[in-house]
Coordinates of all heavy atoms in Angstrom, one line a residue:
M103 N 28.1 -8.8 -21.3 CA 29.0 -9.9 -21.2 C 30.4 -9.3 -21.0 O 30.7 -8.4 -21.7 CB 28.9 -10.7 -22.5 CG 30.0 -11.6 -22.8 SD 29.9 -12.5 -24.3 CE 28.8 -11.6 -25.4
K104 N 31.1 -9.9 -20.2 CA 32.5 -9.5 -19.8 C 33.5 -10.6 -20.1 O 33.3 -11.7 -19.8 CB 32.6 -9.1 -18.4 CG 31.7 -7.9 -18.1 CD 31.7 -7.5 -16.6 CE 30.7 -6.4 -16.4 NZ 30.8 -5.8 -15.1
I105 N 34.6 -10.2 -20.8 CA 35.7 -11.1 -21.1 C 37.0 -10.5 -20.6 O 37.4 -9.5 -21.1 CB 35.7 -11.4 -22.6 CG1 34.4 -12.0 -23.1 CG2 36.9 -12.3 -22.9 CD1 34.4 -12.2 -24.6
P106 N 37.6 -11.1 -19.6 CA 38.8 -10.6 -19.0 C 40.0 -11.0 -19.9 O 40.0 -12.0 -20.6 CB 38.9 -11.2 -17.7 CG 38.1 -12.4 -17.7 CD 37.0 -12.2 -18.8
L107 N 41.0 -10.1 -20.0 CA 42.2 -10.3 -20.8 C 43.4 -10.0 -20.0 O 43.4 -9.0 -19.3 CB 42.2 -9.5 -22.1 CG 41.1 -9.7 -23.1 CD1 41.2 -8.7 -24.2 CD2 41.1 -11.1 -23.7
D108 N 44.4 -10.8 -20.1 CA 45.7 -10.6 -19.4 C 46.6 -9.9 -20.4 O 47.0 -10.5 -21.4 CB 46.3 -11.9 -18.9 CG 47.6 -11.8 -18.2 OD1 48.1 -10.6 -18.0 OD2 48.2 -12.8 -17.8
L109 N 47.0 -8.7 -20.1 CA 47.9 -7.9 -21.0 C 49.3 -7.8 -20.5 O 50.1 -7.0 -21.0 CB 47.3 -6.5 -21.2 CG 45.8 -6.4 -21.7 CD1 45.4 -5.0 -21.8 CD2 45.6 -7.2 -23.0
G110 N 49.6 -8.6 -19.5 CA 50.9 -8.6 -18.8 C 52.0 -9.0 -19.8 O 53.1 -8.4 -19.7
H111 N 51.8 -9.9 -20.7 CA 52.8 -10.4 -21.6 C 52.5 -10.2 -23.0 O 53.4 -10.5 -23.9 CB 53.1 -11.9 -21.3 CG 53.5 -12.1 -19.9 ND1 54.8 -11.8 -19.4 CD2 52.9 -12.7 -18.8 CE1 54.9 -12.1 -18.1 NE2 53.7 -12.7 -17.8
H112 N 51.3 -9.8 -23.3 CA 50.9 -9.6 -24.7 C 50.1 -8.3 -24.9 O 49.5 -7.8 -24.0 CB 50.0 -10.8 -25.1 CG 50.6 -12.1 -25.0 ND1 51.6 -12.6 -25.8 CD2 50.4 -13.1 -24.0 CE1 52.0 -13.8 -25.4 NE2 51.3 -14.1 -24.3
C113 N 50.1 -7.9 -26.2 CA 49.2 -6.7 -26.5 C 47.8 -7.2 -26.5 O 47.5 -8.4 -26.4 CB 49.6 -6.2 -27.9 SG 49.2 -7.2 -29.3
I114 N 46.8 -6.3 -26.6 CA 45.4 -6.6 -26.5 C 45.0 -7.5 -27.6 O 44.2 -8.4 -27.4 CB 44.5 -5.3 -26.4 CG1 43.1 -5.8 -26.2 CG2 44.7 -4.5 -27.7 CD1 42.2 -4.6 -25.7
E115 N 45.5 -7.4 -28.8 CA 45.1 -8.2 -30.0 C 45.6 -9.6 -29.7 O 44.8 -10.6 -29.9 CB 45.7 -7.7 -31.2 CG 45.3 -8.4 -32.5 CD 45.8 -7.8 -33.8 OE1 46.8 -7.1 -33.7 OE2 45.3 -8.2 -34.8
T116 N 46.8 -9.8 -29.3 CA 47.3 -11.2 -29.1 C 46.6 -11.8 -27.9 O 46.3 -13.0 -27.9 CB 48.9 -11.1 -28.8 OG1 49.5 -10.6 -30.0 CG2 49.4 -12.5 -28.6
A117 N 46.4 -11.0 -26.8 CA 45.7 -11.6 -25.7 C 44.3 -12.0 -26.0 O 43.8 -13.1 -25.6 CB 45.6 -10.5 -24.6
A118 N 43.6 -11.2 -26.9 CA 42.3 -11.6 -27.3 C 42.3 -12.9 -28.2 O 41.4 -13.7 -28.1 CB 41.6 -10.4 -28.1
K119 N 43.3 -13.0 -29.1 CA 43.4 -14.2 -29.9 C 43.7 -15.4 -29.1 O 43.1 -16.5 -29.3 CB 44.5 -14.0 -30.9 CG 44.2 -13.1 -32.1 CD 45.3 -12.9 -33.0 CE 45.0 -12.0 -34.1 NZ 46.1 -11.8 -35.1
L120 N 44.5 -15.3 -28.1 CA 44.8 -16.4 -27.2 C 43.6 -16.8 -26.4 O 43.3 -18.0 -26.2 CB 46.0 -16.1 -26.2 CG 47.3 -15.9 -26.9 CD1 48.4 -15.4 -25.9 CD2 47.8 -17.3 -27.5
R121 N 42.9 -15.8 -25.9 CA 41.6 -16.1 -25.2 C 40.6 -16.8 -26.1 O 39.9 -17.7 -25.6 CB 41.1 -14.8 -24.6 CG 39.8 -14.9 -23.9 CD 40.0 -15.6 -22.6 NE 38.7 -15.8 -21.9 CZ 38.5 -15.6 -20.6 NH1 39.5 -15.3 -19.9 NH2 37.3 -15.8 -20.1
L122 N 40.5 -16.3 -27.3 CA 39.6 -16.9 -28.3 C 39.9 -18.4 -28.5 O 39.1 -19.3 -28.5 CB 39.6 -16.2 -29.6 CG 38.7 -16.7 -30.7 CD1 37.2 -16.7 -30.3 CD2 38.9 -15.9 -32.0
E123 N 41.2 -18.7 -28.7 CA 41.7 -20.1 -28.9 C 41.3 -21.0 -27.7 O 40.8 -22.1 -27.9 CB 43.2 -20.1 -29.1 CG 43.6 -19.6 -30.4 CD 45.2 -19.6 -30.6 OE1 45.9 -20.2 -29.7 OE2 45.6 -18.9 -31.5
R124 N 41.5 -20.5 -26.5 CA 41.1 -21.2 -25.3 C 39.6 -21.5 -25.3 O 39.1 -22.6 -24.9 CB 41.6 -20.6 -24.0 CG 43.1 -20.7 -23.8 CD 43.5 -20.2 -22.5 NE 43.1 -18.9 -22.1 CZ 43.9 -17.8 -22.4 NH1 45.0 -17.9 -23.0 NH2 43.5 -16.6 -22.1
M125 N 38.8 -20.5 -25.6 CA 37.3 -20.6 -25.6 C 36.9 -21.6 -26.6 O 36.0 -22.5 -26.3 CB 36.7 -19.3 -26.0 CG 36.7 -18.3 -24.9 SD 35.8 -16.8 -25.5 CE 36.2 -15.7 -24.2
I126 N 37.5 -21.6 -27.8 CA 37.1 -22.6 -28.9 C 37.5 -24.0 -28.4 O 36.7 -24.9 -28.6 CB 37.8 -22.2 -30.2 CG1 37.2 -20.9 -30.8 CG2 37.7 -23.4 -31.2 CD1 37.9 -20.3 -31.9
Q127 N 38.6 -24.2 -27.8 CA 39.0 -25.5 -27.4 C 38.1 -26.0 -26.3 O 37.6 -27.1 -26.3 CB 40.5 -25.5 -26.8 CG 41.5 -25.3 -27.9 CD 42.9 -25.1 -27.3 OE1 43.1 -25.0 -26.1 NE2 43.9 -25.0 -28.2
S128 N 37.7 -25.1 -25.4 CA 36.8 -25.5 -24.3 C 35.4 -25.8 -24.9 O 34.7 -26.7 -24.5 CB 36.7 -24.3 -23.3 OG 35.7 -24.5 -22.4
Y129 N 35.0 -25.0 -25.9 CA 33.6 -25.2 -26.5 C 33.5 -26.6 -27.2 O 32.5 -27.2 -27.1 CB 33.4 -24.1 -27.5 CG 32.0 -24.2 -28.1 CD1 30.9 -23.8 -27.4 CD2 31.8 -24.7 -29.4 CE1 29.6 -23.9 -27.9 CE2 30.5 -24.8 -29.9 CZ 29.4 -24.4 -29.2 OH 28.2 -24.5 -29.7
F130 N 34.6 -27.0 -27.8 CA 34.6 -28.3 -28.5 C 34.5 -29.5 -27.5 O 34.0 -30.5 -27.7 CB 35.8 -28.5 -29.4 CG 35.6 -27.8 -30.7 CD1 36.5 -26.9 -31.2 CD2 34.4 -28.0 -31.5 CE1 36.3 -26.2 -32.4 CE2 34.2 -27.4 -32.7 CZ 35.2 -26.5 -33.1
K131 N 35.1 -29.3 -26.3 CA 35.1 -30.3 -25.2 C 33.7 -30.3 -24.5 O 33.2 -31.3 -24.2 CB 36.2 -30.0 -24.2 CG 37.5 -30.3 -24.7 CD 38.6 -30.0 -23.7 CE 40.0 -30.2 -24.3 NZ 41.0 -29.8 -23.3
H132 N 33.2 -29.1 -24.3 CA 31.9 -29.0 -23.6 C 31.1 -27.8 -24.2 O 31.2 -26.7 -23.7 CB 32.1 -28.7 -22.1 CG 33.0 -29.6 -21.4 ND1 32.6 -30.9 -21.1 CD2 34.3 -29.6 -21.0 CE1 33.6 -31.5 -20.5 NE2 34.7 -30.8 -20.5
P133 N 30.3 -28.1 -25.2 CA 29.5 -27.0 -25.9 C 28.6 -26.3 -24.9 O 28.0 -26.9 -24.0 CB 28.7 -27.8 -26.9 CG 29.5 -29.0 -27.2 CD 30.1 -29.4 -25.9
D134 N 28.6 -25.0 -24.9 CA 27.8 -24.2 -24.0 C 27.4 -22.9 -24.8 O 28.2 -22.2 -25.4 CB 28.7 -23.8 -22.8 CG 28.1 -22.8 -21.9 OD1 26.9 -22.5 -22.0 OD2 28.8 -22.4 -21.0
P135 N 26.1 -22.6 -24.8 CA 25.6 -21.4 -25.5 C 26.3 -20.1 -25.0 O 26.5 -19.2 -25.8 CB 24.1 -21.4 -25.2 CG 23.7 -22.8 -24.7 CD 25.0 -23.4 -24.1
G136 N 26.6 -20.0 -23.8 CA 27.3 -18.8 -23.3 C 28.7 -18.7 -23.9 O 29.1 -17.6 -24.2
T137 N 29.4 -19.8 -24.0 CA 30.7 -19.8 -24.6 C 30.6 -19.4 -26.1 O 31.4 -18.7 -26.7 CB 31.4 -21.1 -24.4 OG1 31.5 -21.4 -23.0 CG2 32.8 -21.1 -25.0
D138 N 29.5 -20.0 -26.8 CA 29.3 -19.7 -28.2 C 29.1 -18.2 -28.4 O 29.7 -17.6 -29.3 CB 28.1 -20.4 -28.6 CG 27.8 -20.2 -30.1 OD1 28.6 -20.3 -30.9 OD2 26.6 -19.8 -30.4
E139 N 28.4 -17.5 -27.5 CA 28.1 -16.1 -27.6 C 29.4 -15.3 -27.4 O 29.7 -14.3 -28.1 CB 27.1 -15.6 -26.6 CG 26.7 -14.2 -26.8 CD 25.6 -13.7 -25.8 OE1 25.1 -14.6 -25.1 OE2 25.3 -12.6 -25.9
Q140 N 30.3 -15.7 -26.4 CA 31.5 -15.1 -26.2 C 32.5 -15.3 -27.4 O 33.2 -14.3 -27.7 CB 32.2 -15.7 -24.9 CG 31.5 -15.3 -23.7 CD 32.2 -15.8 -22.4 OE1 33.1 -16.6 -22.5 NE2 31.8 -15.3 -21.3
I141 N 32.5 -16.4 -28.0 CA 33.3 -16.7 -29.2 C 32.9 -15.7 -30.3 O 33.8 -15.1 -30.9 CB 33.2 -18.1 -29.6 CG1 33.9 -19.0 -28.6 CG2 33.8 -18.3 -31.0 CD1 33.7 -20.5 -28.8
R142 N 31.6 -15.6 -30.5 CA 31.1 -14.7 -31.6 C 31.5 -13.2 -31.3 O 32.0 -12.5 -32.2 CB 29.6 -14.8 -31.8 CG 29.3 -16.1 -32.5 CD 27.8 -16.2 -32.9 NE 27.0 -16.5 -31.7 CZ 26.1 -15.6 -31.2 NH1 25.8 -14.6 -31.9 NH2 25.4 -15.9 -30.1
A143 N 31.4 -12.8 -30.0 CA 31.7 -11.4 -29.7 C 33.2 -11.1 -29.8 O 33.6 -10.1 -30.3 CB 31.2 -11.2 -28.2
L144 N 34.0 -12.1 -29.3 CA 35.4 -11.9 -29.4 C 35.9 -11.9 -30.8 O 36.8 -11.1 -31.2 CB 36.1 -12.9 -28.5 CG 37.6 -12.6 -28.1 CD1 37.7 -11.2 -27.5 CD2 38.0 -13.6 -27.1
T145 N 35.4 -12.8 -31.7 CA 35.7 -12.8 -33.1 C 35.4 -11.5 -33.7 O 36.2 -10.9 -34.5 CB 35.0 -14.0 -33.8 OG1 35.4 -15.2 -33.2 CG2 35.3 -14.0 -35.3
W146 N 34.2 -10.9 -33.4 CA 33.8 -9.7 -34.0 C 34.7 -8.5 -33.5 O 35.1 -7.7 -34.3 CB 32.3 -9.4 -33.5 CG 31.8 -8.2 -34.1 CD1 31.1 -8.1 -35.4 CD2 31.7 -6.8 -33.6 NE1 30.7 -6.8 -35.6 CE2 31.1 -6.0 -34.5 CE3 32.2 -6.3 -32.4 CZ2 30.9 -4.7 -34.3 CZ3 32.0 -5.0 -32.1 CH2 31.4 -4.2 -33.1
F147 N 35.1 -8.6 -32.3 CA 36.0 -7.6 -31.7 C 37.4 -7.6 -32.5 O 37.9 -6.6 -32.8 CB 36.2 -7.9 -30.2 CG 37.4 -7.1 -29.6 CD1 37.2 -5.8 -29.2 CD2 38.6 -7.8 -29.3 CE1 38.2 -5.1 -28.5 CE2 39.6 -7.1 -28.7 CZ 39.4 -5.8 -28.3
L148 N 37.9 -8.8 -32.7 CA 39.2 -9.0 -33.4 C 39.1 -8.5 -34.9 O 40.1 -8.0 -35.4 CB 39.6 -10.5 -33.3 CG 40.2 -10.9 -31.9 CD1 40.3 -12.4 -31.8 CD2 41.5 -10.2 -31.7
E149 N 38.0 -8.7 -35.5 CA 37.8 -8.3 -36.9 C 37.7 -6.8 -37.0 O 38.0 -6.3 -38.1 CB 36.6 -9.0 -37.5 CG 36.8 -10.5 -37.7 CD 35.5 -11.2 -38.1 OE1 34.4 -10.6 -38.1 OE2 35.6 -12.4 -38.4
N150 N 37.2 -6.1 -36.0 CA 36.8 -4.7 -36.2 C 37.6 -3.7 -35.3 O 37.4 -2.5 -35.5 CB 35.3 -4.5 -35.9 CG 34.5 -5.3 -36.9 OD1 34.5 -4.9 -38.1 ND2 33.9 -6.4 -36.5
G151 N 38.4 -4.2 -34.4 CA 39.1 -3.3 -33.5 C 40.3 -2.6 -34.2 O 40.9 -3.2 -35.1
D152 N 40.6 -1.4 -33.8 CA 41.8 -0.7 -34.3 C 42.9 -0.9 -33.4 O 43.2 -0.2 -32.4 CB 41.5 0.8 -34.4 CG 42.6 1.6 -35.1 OD1 43.7 1.1 -35.2 OD2 42.3 2.7 -35.5
F153 N 43.6 -2.0 -33.6 CA 44.6 -2.5 -32.7 C 45.8 -1.6 -32.5 O 46.4 -1.5 -31.4 CB 44.9 -4.0 -32.9 CG 43.7 -4.8 -32.5 CD1 42.9 -5.3 -33.5 CD2 43.4 -5.0 -31.2 CE1 41.7 -6.0 -33.2 CE2 42.2 -5.7 -30.9 CZ 41.4 -6.2 -31.9
P154 N 46.3 -1.0 -33.6 CA 47.5 -0.1 -33.4 C 47.1 1.0 -32.4 O 47.9 1.4 -31.5 CB 47.8 0.4 -34.8 CG 47.3 -0.7 -35.7 CD 46.1 -1.2 -35.0
E155 N 45.9 1.6 -32.5 CA 45.5 2.6 -31.6 C 45.2 2.1 -30.2 O 45.6 2.7 -29.2 CB 44.2 3.3 -32.2 CG 44.4 4.1 -33.4 CD 45.3 5.4 -33.2 OE1 45.2 6.0 -32.1 OE2 46.0 5.7 -34.1
L156 N 44.6 0.9 -30.1 CA 44.4 0.3 -28.8 C 45.7 0.0 -28.1 O 45.8 0.2 -26.9 CB 43.5 -0.9 -29.0 CG 42.0 -0.7 -29.3 CD1 41.3 -2.0 -29.6 CD2 41.3 0.0 -28.1
R157 N 46.7 -0.5 -28.8 CA 47.9 -0.8 -28.2 C 48.6 0.4 -27.6 O 49.1 0.4 -26.5 CB 48.9 -1.5 -29.2 CG 48.7 -2.9 -29.4 CD 49.8 -3.6 -30.2 NE 49.7 -3.3 -31.6 CZ 49.0 -3.9 -32.5 NH1 48.2 -4.9 -32.1 NH2 48.9 -3.6 -33.8
T158 N 48.5 1.5 -28.3 CA 49.0 2.8 -27.8 C 48.2 3.2 -26.5 O 48.8 3.6 -25.5 CB 48.9 3.9 -28.9 OG1 49.7 3.4 -30.0 CG2 49.5 5.2 -28.4
A159 N 46.9 3.1 -26.6 CA 46.1 3.6 -25.5 C 46.3 2.7 -24.2 O 46.1 3.2 -23.1 CB 44.6 3.6 -25.9
L160 N 46.7 1.5 -24.4 CA 46.8 0.5 -23.3 C 48.2 0.3 -22.9 O 48.5 -0.6 -22.1 CB 46.1 -0.8 -23.7 CG 44.6 -0.8 -23.8 CD1 44.1 -2.0 -24.5 CD2 44.0 -0.6 -22.5
T161 N 49.2 1.1 -23.3 CA 50.5 1.0 -22.9 C 50.6 1.0 -21.4 O 50.1 1.9 -20.7 CB 51.4 2.1 -23.5 OG1 51.3 2.0 -24.9 CG2 52.8 2.0 -23.1
G162 N 51.3 0.0 -20.8 CA 51.5 -0.1 -19.4 C 50.4 -0.7 -18.6 O 50.5 -0.9 -17.4
I163 N 49.3 -1.1 -19.3 CA 48.2 -1.7 -18.6 C 48.4 -3.3 -18.6 O 48.7 -3.8 -19.7 CB 46.9 -1.4 -19.3 CG1 46.6 0.1 -19.4 CG2 45.7 -2.1 -18.7 CD1 46.4 0.8 -18.0
S164 N 48.2 -3.9 -17.5 CA 48.4 -5.4 -17.5 C 47.1 -6.2 -17.5 O 47.2 -7.4 -17.8 CB 49.2 -5.7 -16.2 OG 48.5 -5.4 -15.1
R165 N 46.0 -5.6 -17.2 CA 44.8 -6.4 -17.2 C 43.6 -5.5 -17.7 O 43.6 -4.3 -17.5 CB 44.4 -6.8 -15.8 CG 45.4 -7.8 -15.1 CD 45.0 -8.3 -13.8 NE 44.3 -9.5 -13.7 CZ 44.5 -10.7 -14.4 NH1 45.3 -10.7 -15.4 NH2 43.9 -11.8 -14.1
A166 N 42.8 -6.1 -18.5 CA 41.6 -5.4 -19.1 C 40.4 -6.4 -19.1 O 40.6 -7.6 -19.2 CB 42.0 -4.9 -20.5
V167 N 39.3 -5.8 -19.1 CA 38.0 -6.5 -19.2 C 37.2 -5.9 -20.4 O 37.0 -4.7 -20.4 CB 37.2 -6.5 -18.0 CG1 35.9 -7.2 -18.2 CG2 37.9 -7.1 -16.8
L168 N 36.9 -6.7 -21.4 CA 36.1 -6.3 -22.5 C 34.7 -6.4 -22.0 O 34.2 -7.5 -21.6 CB 36.3 -7.1 -23.7 CG 37.7 -7.2 -24.3 CD1 37.8 -8.1 -25.5 CD2 38.2 -5.8 -24.7
N169 N 33.9 -5.3 -22.0 CA 32.6 -5.3 -21.6 C 31.7 -5.1 -22.8 O 31.6 -3.9 -23.3 CB 32.4 -4.2 -20.5 CG 31.0 -4.2 -19.9 OD1 30.3 -5.2 -20.0 ND2 30.7 -3.1 -19.2
F170 N 31.0 -6.1 -23.3 CA 30.2 -6.1 -24.4 C 28.7 -5.8 -24.0 O 28.2 -6.5 -23.1 CB 30.2 -7.4 -25.2 CG 31.5 -7.7 -25.8 CD1 32.5 -8.4 -25.2 CD2 31.7 -7.4 -27.2 CE1 33.7 -8.7 -25.8 CE2 33.0 -7.7 -27.8 CZ 34.0 -8.3 -27.1
S171 N 28.1 -4.9 -24.7 CA 26.7 -4.7 -24.5 C 26.0 -5.2 -25.8 O 26.7 -5.6 -26.7 CB 26.4 -3.2 -24.3 OG 26.7 -2.5 -25.5
K172 N 24.7 -5.1 -25.8 CA 24.0 -5.6 -27.1 C 24.3 -4.7 -28.2 O 24.2 -5.1 -29.4 CB 22.5 -5.7 -26.8 CG 22.1 -6.8 -25.9 CD 22.5 -8.2 -26.5 CE 22.3 -9.3 -25.6 NZ 22.7 -10.6 -26.1
N173 N 24.7 -3.4 -28.0 CA 25.1 -2.5 -29.0 C 26.6 -2.7 -29.2 O 27.3 -2.2 -28.3 CB 24.7 -1.1 -28.6 CG 25.3 -0.1 -29.6 OD1 25.9 -0.4 -30.6 ND2 25.1 1.2 -29.2
P174 N 27.1 -3.3 -30.2 CA 28.5 -3.6 -30.3 C 29.4 -2.3 -30.4 O 30.5 -2.4 -30.0 CB 28.6 -4.4 -31.6 CG 27.4 -4.1 -32.4 CD 26.3 -3.8 -31.4
H175 N 28.8 -1.2 -30.8 CA 29.6 0.0 -30.9 C 29.9 0.5 -29.5 O 30.7 1.4 -29.3 CB 28.9 1.1 -31.7 CG 28.6 0.6 -33.1 ND1 29.5 0.0 -33.9 CD2 27.4 0.7 -33.8 CE1 28.9 -0.3 -35.1 NE2 27.6 0.1 -35.0
G176 N 29.2 0.0 -28.5 CA 29.3 0.4 -27.1 C 30.3 -0.4 -26.3 O 30.3 -0.3 -25.1
V177 N 31.1 -1.2 -27.0 CA 32.1 -2.0 -26.2 C 33.0 -1.1 -25.4 O 33.5 -0.1 -26.0 CB 32.9 -2.9 -27.2 CG1 34.0 -3.6 -26.4 CG2 32.0 -3.9 -27.9
E178 N 33.2 -1.5 -24.2 CA 34.1 -0.7 -23.3 C 35.2 -1.6 -22.8 O 35.0 -2.8 -22.6 CB 33.3 -0.1 -22.1 CG 34.0 0.8 -21.2 CD 33.2 1.3 -20.1 OE1 32.7 0.5 -19.3 OE2 33.0 2.5 -20.1
I179 N 36.4 -1.0 -22.7 CA 37.5 -1.7 -22.1 C 37.7 -1.2 -20.7 O 38.1 0.0 -20.6 CB 38.7 -1.6 -23.0 CG1 38.4 -2.1 -24.4 CG2 39.9 -2.3 -22.4 CD1 39.5 -1.7 -25.4
K180 N 37.6 -2.0 -19.7 CA 37.8 -1.6 -18.3 C 39.2 -2.0 -17.9 O 39.6 -3.1 -18.1 CB 36.8 -2.1 -17.4 CG 35.4 -1.6 -17.7 CD 34.4 -2.0 -16.7 CE 33.0 -1.3 -17.0 NZ 32.1 -1.5 -16.0
T181 N 40.0 -1.1 -17.4 CA 41.3 -1.3 -16.9 C 41.5 -0.8 -15.5 O 40.7 -0.1 -15.0 CB 42.4 -0.6 -17.8 OG1 42.3 0.8 -17.6 CG2 42.1 -1.0 -19.3
E182 N 42.7 -1.1 -14.9 CA 43.0 -0.6 -13.6 C 43.1 0.9 -13.6 O 43.0 1.5 -12.6 CB 44.2 -1.3 -13.0 CG 45.5 -1.1 -13.8 CD 45.9 -2.2 -14.7 OE1 45.0 -3.0 -15.0 OE2 47.0 -2.3 -15.1
G183 N 43.4 1.5 -14.8 CA 43.5 2.9 -14.9 C 42.2 3.6 -15.2 O 42.1 4.8 -15.4
G184 N 41.1 2.8 -15.3 CA 39.8 3.4 -15.6 C 39.3 2.8 -17.0 O 40.0 2.1 -17.7
P185 N 38.1 3.2 -17.4 CA 37.5 2.7 -18.6 C 38.1 3.4 -19.8 O 38.5 4.5 -19.8 CB 36.0 3.0 -18.5 CG 35.9 4.2 -17.5 CD 37.1 4.0 -16.6
L186 N 38.1 2.7 -20.9 CA 38.6 3.2 -22.2 C 37.5 2.9 -23.3 O 37.0 1.7 -23.4 CB 39.9 2.5 -22.6 CG 40.5 2.7 -24.0 CD1 41.0 4.2 -24.1 CD2 41.6 1.8 -24.3
K187 N 37.1 3.9 -24.0 CA 36.1 3.7 -25.1 C 36.8 2.9 -26.2 O 37.9 3.1 -26.5 CB 35.5 5.0 -25.6 CG 34.4 4.8 -26.5 CD 33.7 6.2 -26.7 CE 32.7 6.1 -27.8 NZ 31.4 5.6 -27.4
M188 N 36.0 1.9 -26.8 CA 36.5 1.1 -27.8 C 36.9 2.0 -29.0 O 36.2 2.9 -29.4 CB 35.5 0.1 -28.2 CG 35.9 -0.9 -29.3 SD 37.3 -1.8 -28.7 CE 37.9 -2.4 -30.3
I189 N 38.0 1.6 -29.7 CA 38.5 2.3 -30.9 C 38.3 1.4 -32.1 O 38.9 0.2 -32.0 CB 40.0 2.8 -30.7 CG1 40.1 3.6 -29.5 CG2 40.4 3.5 -32.0 CD1 41.6 3.9 -29.1
W190 N 37.6 1.7 -33.1 CA 37.3 0.9 -34.2 C 38.1 1.3 -35.4 O 38.3 2.5 -35.6 CB 35.8 1.0 -34.6 CG 34.9 0.6 -33.5 CD1 34.1 1.5 -32.8 CD2 34.7 -0.7 -32.9 NE1 33.4 0.8 -31.8 CE2 33.8 -0.5 -31.8 CE3 35.3 -1.9 -33.1 CZ2 33.4 -1.6 -31.0 CZ3 34.9 -3.0 -32.3 CH2 33.9 -2.8 -31.3
K191 N 38.5 0.4 -36.2 CA 39.2 0.7 -37.5 C 38.3 1.3 -38.5 O 38.6 2.1 -39.3 CB 40.1 -0.5 -38.0 CG 39.3 -1.7 -38.4 CD 40.2 -2.8 -38.9 CE 39.4 -4.1 -39.0 NZ 40.3 -5.2 -39.1
N192 N 37.0 0.8 -38.4 CA 36.0 1.4 -39.2 C 34.7 1.0 -38.4 O 34.6 0.0 -37.8 CB 35.9 0.9 -40.7 CG 35.9 -0.6 -40.7 OD1 35.5 -1.3 -39.8 ND2 36.3 -1.2 -41.9
L193 N 33.7 1.9 -38.4 CA 32.6 1.6 -37.6 C 31.7 0.6 -38.4 O 31.1 1.0 -39.4 CB 31.8 2.9 -37.4 CG 30.8 2.9 -36.2 CD1 31.6 2.5 -34.9 CD2 30.2 4.2 -36.0
P194 N 31.7 -0.6 -38.0 CA 30.9 -1.7 -38.7 C 29.4 -1.4 -38.6 O 28.9 -0.9 -37.7 CB 31.3 -3.0 -38.0 CG 31.8 -2.5 -36.7 CD 32.3 -1.1 -36.8
G195 N 28.8 -1.9 -39.7 CA 27.3 -1.7 -39.7 C 26.6 -2.8 -39.0 O 25.4 -2.6 -38.6
S196 N 27.2 -4.0 -38.9 CA 26.5 -5.1 -38.2 C 27.2 -5.5 -37.0 O 28.4 -5.3 -36.9 CB 26.3 -6.2 -39.2 OG 27.6 -6.7 -39.5
G197 N 26.5 -6.0 -36.0 CA 27.1 -6.4 -34.8 C 27.3 -7.9 -34.7 O 27.1 -8.6 -35.6
W198 N 27.8 -8.3 -33.5 CA 28.0 -9.7 -33.3 C 26.8 -10.4 -33.0 O 26.5 -11.5 -33.0 CB 29.1 -9.9 -32.3 CG 28.9 -9.1 -31.0 CD1 29.3 -7.9 -30.7 CD2 28.1 -9.6 -29.9 NE1 28.8 -7.5 -29.5 CE2 28.1 -8.5 -28.9 CE3 27.5 -10.7 -29.6 CZ2 27.5 -8.6 -27.7 CZ3 26.9 -10.8 -28.3 CH2 26.9 -9.8 -27.4

């Protein structure tokens, strides 16, 4: 599953939070199992990502795509500068 983020005006954490808010609003208007899965994945990402480290790694990047696999530790961030391995604040034991 892929979730694009616009980092042009916000850091990755804020961009992810804004994207999550839009997804939730959309879900309440038109429930969709695909959106539900994206909401759970993005919530998990926000709870477990090491955002100070990610902000540093993404300095100067304006667009990113979160690429979620079934193994949550394998989340990859794709950018115009190439892929970036996800940085966790602690390696969680359970996935989304």
